């Protein structure tokens, strides 16, 4: 029986990819590194420190750990400042409707995000009240594709993974859900989340009715 839903944040509830892109691009330009939207796609769902390492690998740059942390912090300062412009209008279409519906039907709802800025993003959206549990980049040390963040969320909800559906837009996010034995809903193209149990192109199509009809035996 499905009793709980665990949502990724960036790319599922709201689209922060462009803000992350702008902040990484500013850092890359300052450092004289190559960075474009294709490379930004590879950062979907992975932690800040994993992200900067992907960018450095691509640019064949080697730096000591302290400098890497400093640069990642610089990027984060730019990103956090850009979040000030985010408002309650910035849910991805369909996301707020689904969260509202799940609340009214009495499901348990958690956040399972790799972001250390999840609380700030949820505040900007005025979305805190939709969640019983908030799992973010500060909750666990092993990031996706490890299942730890989703296991943290389900444990806090008091539910085993097989009673929960994870919503994810990242390839590594679906890997994490599967590694933890969660049911999974992929949001995005087949090439990215085709390995999810079910997939929708956008959150707009991911209504509770549609989800229930795909996971018939579980409701
Ligand atoms: C999300 C995004 C990633 C980002 C990660 C860490 O998963 O999809 O692109 O790198 O969060 O975000 P943070 O806000 O902690 O830098
Ligand atoms: Mg995501």
């Amino acid at each position: 029986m499905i009793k709980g839903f665990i949502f990724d944040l960036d790319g599922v509830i709201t689209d922060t990819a462009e803000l992350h892109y702008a902040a990484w691009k500013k850092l890359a330009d300052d450092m004289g590194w190559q960075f474009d939207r294709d490379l930004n796609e590879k950062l979907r769902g992975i932690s800040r420190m994993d992200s900067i390492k992907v960018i450095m690998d691509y640019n064949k740059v080697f730096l000591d750990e302290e400098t890497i942390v400093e640069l990642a912090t610089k990027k984060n300062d730019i990103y956090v400042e850009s979040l000030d412009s985010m408002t309650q209008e910035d849910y991805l279409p369909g996301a707020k409707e689904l969260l509202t519906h799940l609340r009214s039907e009495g499901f348990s709802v958690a956040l399972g995000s790799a972001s250390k800025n999840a609380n700030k993003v949820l505040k900007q959206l005025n979305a805190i009240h939709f969640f019983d549990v908030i799992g973010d980049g500060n909750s666990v040390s092993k990031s996706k594709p490890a299942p730890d963040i989703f296991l943290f969320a389900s444990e806090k909800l008091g539910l085993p993974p097989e009673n929960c559906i994870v919503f994810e837009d990242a390839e590594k996010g679906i890997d994490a859900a599967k590694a933890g034995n969660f049911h999974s809903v992929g949001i995005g193209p087949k090439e990215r989340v085709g390995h999810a149990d079910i997939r929708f192109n956008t959150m707009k199509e991911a209504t509770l009715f549609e989800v229930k009809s795909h996971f018939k035996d579980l409701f």
Side-chain angles (χ1 to χ4, degrees):
M1 282 291 279
I2 297 299
K3 297 193 173 138
F5 285 76
I6 304 174
F7 288 89
D8 173 49
L9 177 64
D10 302 278
V12 171
I13 307 288
T14 183
D15 187 14
T16 49
E18 196 57 28
L19 299 179
H20 279 293
Y21 169 76
W24 283 125
K25 180 74 181 145
K26 170 85 177 67
L27 179 77
D29 286 352
D30 287 354
M31 299 300 293
W33 296 347
Q34 292 294 319
F35 185 70
D36 57 22
R37 286 196 163 76
D38 281 346
L39 191 55
N40 192 52
E41 267 303 304
K42 300 214 162 61
L43 311 182
R44 203 177 268 269
I46 65 171
S47 72
R48 195 182 312 157
M49 287 304 284
D50 287 348
S51 299
I52 193 164
K53 285 171 185 165
V54 168
I55 300 170
M56 287 171 51
D57 273 358
Y58 183 81
N59 283 276
K60 301 191 171 55
V61 169
F62 302 91
L63 295 167
D64 60 84
E65 198 65 18
E66 199 184 320
T67 312
I68 299 174
V69 171
E70 230 169 72
L71 294 175
T73 304
K74 205 167 146 193
K75 177 267 172 179
N76 191 54
D77 292 344
I78 302 168
Y79 174 66
V80 170
E81 203 186 318
S82 73
L83 289 176
D84 286 338
S85 63
M86 183 180 270
T87 73
Q88 303 186 38
E89 307 300 312
D90 290 321
Y91 285 87
L92 275 166
K96 189 176 183 181
E97 291 76 4
L98 178 60
L99 289 168
T100 306
H101 201 174
L102 292 175
R103 274 320 212 188
S104 70
E105 296 262 317
F107 288 101
S108 297
V109 178
L111 191 81
S113 167
S115 174
K116 294 190 171 175
N117 297 302
N119 262 296
K120 165 127 183 160
V121 172
L122 292 179
K123 272 189 199 131
Q124 296 294 120
L125 292 169
N126 190 22
I128 300 266
H129 62 284
F130 286 126
F131 298 92
D132 300 298
V133 166
I134 293 177
D136 66 12
N138 305 297
S139 311
V140 293
S141 52
K142 267 207 244 156
S143 47
K144 302 168 189 176
D148 299 35
I149 188 62
F150 298 136
L151 292 170
F152 170 89
S154 65
E155 200 172 297
K156 290 261 174 194
L157 288 177
L159 296 172
E162 54 271 26
N163 289 164
C164 301
I165 297 179
V166 166
F167 272 62
E168 256 293 347
D169 70 308
E171 184 179 349
K172 292 206 166 60
I174 296 295
D175 293 343
K178 296 190 116 173
N181 277 322
F182 293 88
H183 303 284
S184 57
V185 173
I187 304 297
K190 206 172 176 180
E191 310 81 69
R192 205 164 74 207
V193 290
H195 54 319
D197 294 338
I198 63 168
R199 184 187 70 81
F200 299 99
N201 286 322
T202 69
M203 279 296 282
K204 205 164 179 184
E205 293 129 64
T207 60
L208 183 54
F209 178 83
E210 283 295 326
V211 171
K212 277 185 172 173
S213 64
H214 279 87
F215 289 106
K216 256 190 232 85
D217 306 339
L218 296 174
F219 283 91

